[in-house]
Amino acid sequence: MNECANNLEIIEKPDVNFRRRRIIGRLRQFLAIVCLGPLSLGSSLSWTSPVLPQLLEQNSTNLTYHRANFTLSIDEGSWIGSMLAIGVLISAIPSGYLAGRYGLKKSTIALVIPNLLFTMLVLFASDVYTLCVGRLLSGMATGGISVVGPMYISEIAEVSLRGTLGSFFEFLIYFGVVFVAVCGAYVSYTTLTIILGAVALVLGFIFCFLPESPAYLIKKNKREQAKTALLFYRGESFNVENALDEIYERVHKETGRKVNVMLEFKSKAVVRGLIASVGLTVFQQLSGIDGVTFYTVYIFQAAETELNEYTSAIILSTVQLLSAVVVIFVIEKAGRKIFLYISASGTCICLAALAAYFHLKLVGITFFGMGAIPLASTMVYACAFSAGLGPVLWMVNGELFSPAVKGIANGITITANWVCLFIITKTMPVMMDDVGPHITFYFYAACMFFCVIFIKFCVPETRGKSLEEIQNELRS
């Protein structure tokens, strides 16, 4: 586990290859993050953005791979979008349990299967029901990635890299969003889906050659394999014996306590952790980020600006990606709560600006440069979200809970996240149509105002602290 990284002692060697070995170990940590599936997670979120317009507008023949023999209504399209969340709700909590029982490595590799089934169903789909089943399977894979990914990161990452790796995980999600936005504008939806399935298969194959988490191996009394896993991610110049002793002591202590997991969930540390984690994930969704991601083109169509809505969607997703890159290099420069304050405040202001644009447009007020507000506000909004509400949630999910409850607790948190995602993605277009875009985005702006208050009183600071230190703080 990463709290043991503080105890890793560098062997004093006048070895000129020491720096190279250390770099290789860290690069392996980044490789593991890539193979955990964040690319598939991001692509599943934005898959509907280019695909639904093709089916709704009968544009699936635009680049001749597969001719769609059916079309969708707006309501059917919204169900295809929201079925992803249903799949996540089915898999989130079981994924945490299965990861604890069979290991994070096996669980990660198994998540490739529903992604491949999704690819096959989309390829041969002839009606909306087949696409809904496919999206359900894609959601099951996404839910597993959401749970298992942060767990694996927390167990292999050095303390000094934990924030950076968490941000890199978020960056790869945005990369998946951008990849789908760009490819979806130039290829048919079946070709796009085949590409995504191939990427998932290749990354799953590579993960077969990476080690299981050290804590799971210690739990199974495989100390030598755990040692090999630590050396793989730290480099051969580290003495990991002390770290292995600590992992053994803590894991076996926690294993004994697993006899009564329900009692563990009544402890002060777990309750406070769940309040922070679940509350933060609810507010993350109330920022409207996934609604914006699912319906980017629709929002820009409603804005009626001169810039093409598909071009605007590509620009926005690219800004999300670039902002995630920047965050990787700055996330450890300040506390987690500082970034959360900046993020929640920034999204609040941007959502209010977007709402004001629609409000002014509704009452017939226009001025020079007004047409730039939708794209400009959503671009800054994406940057603000990436600065805190995006990456910090993934870090918190892996930091706030002990090994005895981490899998189930993360499953609960992810379940709450995707319940909210289902509600947001199902209601956003309805709200925009029934009460107007201005009311819709004023509502999300108000939620972000209350998010700032929640961060102040309910979210603990975790930067630079070992997992044991965080647990002690939650118990106090």
Side-chain angles (χ1 to χ4, degrees):
M1 294 282 196
N2 54 8
E3 70 262 37
C4 301
N6 287 331
N7 298 305
L8 294 174
E9 299 175 2
I10 301 175
I11 300 176
E12 298 296 334
K13 292 182 179 180
D15 189 353
V16 295
N17 292 322
F18 166 72
R19 185 181 298 274
R20 180 179 62 83
R21 292 170 180 171
R22 183 173 177 85
I23 291 174
I24 290 174
R26 292 189 168 188
L27 288 176
R28 286 168 176 169
Q29 294 179 51
F30 281 96
L31 174 63
I33 306 308
V34 175
C35 296
L36 283 171
L39 290 171
S40 295
L41 197 162
S43 62
S44 67
L45 291 176
S46 59
W47 184 84
T48 52
S49 182
V51 169
L52 290 183
Q54 290 185 30
L55 295 175
L56 293 172
E57 299 173 3
Q58 293 183 295
N59 287 335
S60 58
T61 60
N62 61 346
L63 282 175
T64 68
Y65 175 83
H66 174 75
R67 181 181 180 86
N69 56 7
F70 65 98
T71 57
L72 303 176
S73 67
I74 296 294
D75 183 62
E76 289 173 335
S78 68
W79 275 110
I80 290 175
S82 57
M83 282 301 290
L84 184 79
I86 301 298
V88 173
L89 293 176
I90 293 173
S91 67
I93 292 181
S95 293
Y97 169 78
L98 293 174
R101 183 176 179 85
Y102 298 105
L104 297 174
K105 180 177 179 177
K106 293 185 181 69
S107 299
T108 299
I109 296 171
L111 293 173
V112 176
I113 297 174
N115 270 326
L116 295 180
L117 292 175
F118 164 68
T119 301
M120 298 300 295
L121 287 173
V122 171
L123 184 61
F124 296 105
S126 59
D127 53 53
V128 63
Y129 304 106
T130 305
L131 288 179
C132 283
V133 173
R135 283 287 281 175
L136 181 75
L137 291 169
S138 179
M140 293 175 66
T142 300
I145 294 168
S146 300
V147 174
V148 175
M151 292 174 64
Y152 194 83
I153 294 172
S154 70
E155 295 188 8
I156 69 166
E158 300 176 43
V159 170
S160 61
L161 278 182
R162 195 167 62 202
T164 300
L165 292 175
S167 297
F168 185 61
F169 188 86
E170 186 75 8
F171 158 77
L172 291 173
I173 294 175
Y174 288 132
F175 187 86
V177 171
V178 173
F179 183 80
V180 168
V182 175
C183 288
Y186 298 102
V187 303
S188 67
Y189 74 94
T190 49
T191 302
L192 172 65
T193 307
I194 290 171
I195 293 172
L196 297 177
V199 170
L201 180 61
V202 170
L203 293 179
F205 177 76
I206 294 174
F207 199 79
C208 292
F209 299 95
L210 300 182
E212 180 60 83
S213 69
Y216 177 79
L217 294 172
I218 289 291
K219 176 183 174 183
K220 296 299 181 180
N221 297 316
K222 298 179 180 179
R223 184 182 177 92
E224 286 304 313
Q225 293 184 35
K227 179 179 179 179
T228 301
L230 278 179
L231 289 174
F232 181 83
Y233 287 121
R234 297 294 189 268
E236 298 177 1
S237 297
F238 282 90
N239 181 351
V240 297
E241 291 300 327
N242 290 339
L244 289 170
D245 290 340
E246 278 202 19
I247 293 174
Y248 181 89
E249 180 180 355
R250 179 167 41 77
V251 166
H252 282 75
K253 179 177 68 174
E254 297 291 350
T255 301
R257 298 167 69 181
K258 282 186 178 180
V259 175
N260 196 339
V261 174
M262 293 305 299
L263 182 62
E264 191 74 25
F265 269 85
K266 296 178 182 179
S267 69
K268 185 176 181 180
V270 175
V271 170
R272 290 183 63 186
L274 282 174
I275 290 174
S277 185
V278 173
L280 201 56
T281 199
V282 169
F283 276 114
Q284 184 202 57
Q285 286 302 318
L286 289 175
S287 71
I289 186 63
D290 287 312
V292 172
T293 301
F294 275 53
Y295 304 111
T296 304
V297 173
Y298 177 72
I299 292 171
F300 284 121
Q301 285 176 337
E304 296 181 335
T305 61
E306 295 182 1
L307 188 62
N308 177 272
E309 57 268 21
Y310 292 95
T311 302
S312 297
I314 292 175
I315 293 173
L316 178 59
S317 60
T318 302
V319 169
Q320 288 180 304
L321 175 65
L322 294 177
S323 61
V325 173
V326 173
V327 169
I328 292 175
F329 298 99
V330 302
I331 194 67
E332 292 293 352
K333 302 297 183 182
R336 308 280 194 256
K337 294 183 71 170
I338 297 297
F339 283 104
L340 286 173
Y341 285 135
I342 294 172
S343 182
S345 300
T347 53
C348 177
I349 294 171
C350 293
L351 289 166
L354 183 60
Y357 167 83
F358 283 111
H359 201 168
L360 292 173
K361 181 173 174 288
L362 178 67
V363 298
I365 298 176
T366 59
F367 54 85
F368 177 76
M370 179 176 168
I373 292 178
L375 182 58
S377 61
T378 52
M379 287 170 62
V380 179
Y381 162 83
C383 292
F385 180 84
S386 298
L389 288 172
V392 172
L393 173 63
W394 299 103
M395 300 177 202
V396 167
N397 283 350
E399 292 174 342
L400 288 179
F401 303 105
S402 67
V405 299
K406 183 179 290 187
I408 298 177
N410 282 345
I412 292 172
T413 301
I414 298 302
T415 298
N417 184 286
W418 288 85
V419 166
C420 293
L421 183 143
F422 175 81
I423 295 171
I424 296 299
T425 56
K426 191 63 181 170
T427 60
M428 177 179 279
V430 176
M431 289 180 64
M432 291 179 65
D433 186 58
D434 290 349
V435 301
H438 61 301
I439 298 297
T440 302
F441 291 108
Y442 278 139
F443 168 76
Y444 292 132
C447 290
M448 290 300 93
F449 173 80
F450 290 109
C451 179
V452 175
I453 299 175
F454 177 82
I455 293 167
K456 169 67 176 177
F457 295 103
C458 298
V459 179
E461 181 57 69
T462 61
R463 175 179 175 254
K465 299 177 182 177
S466 69
L467 299 186
E468 188 64 31
E469 289 172 337
I470 294 170
Q471 288 299 300
N472 290 336
E473 181 178 334
L474 290 173
R475 295 188 193 102
S476 63

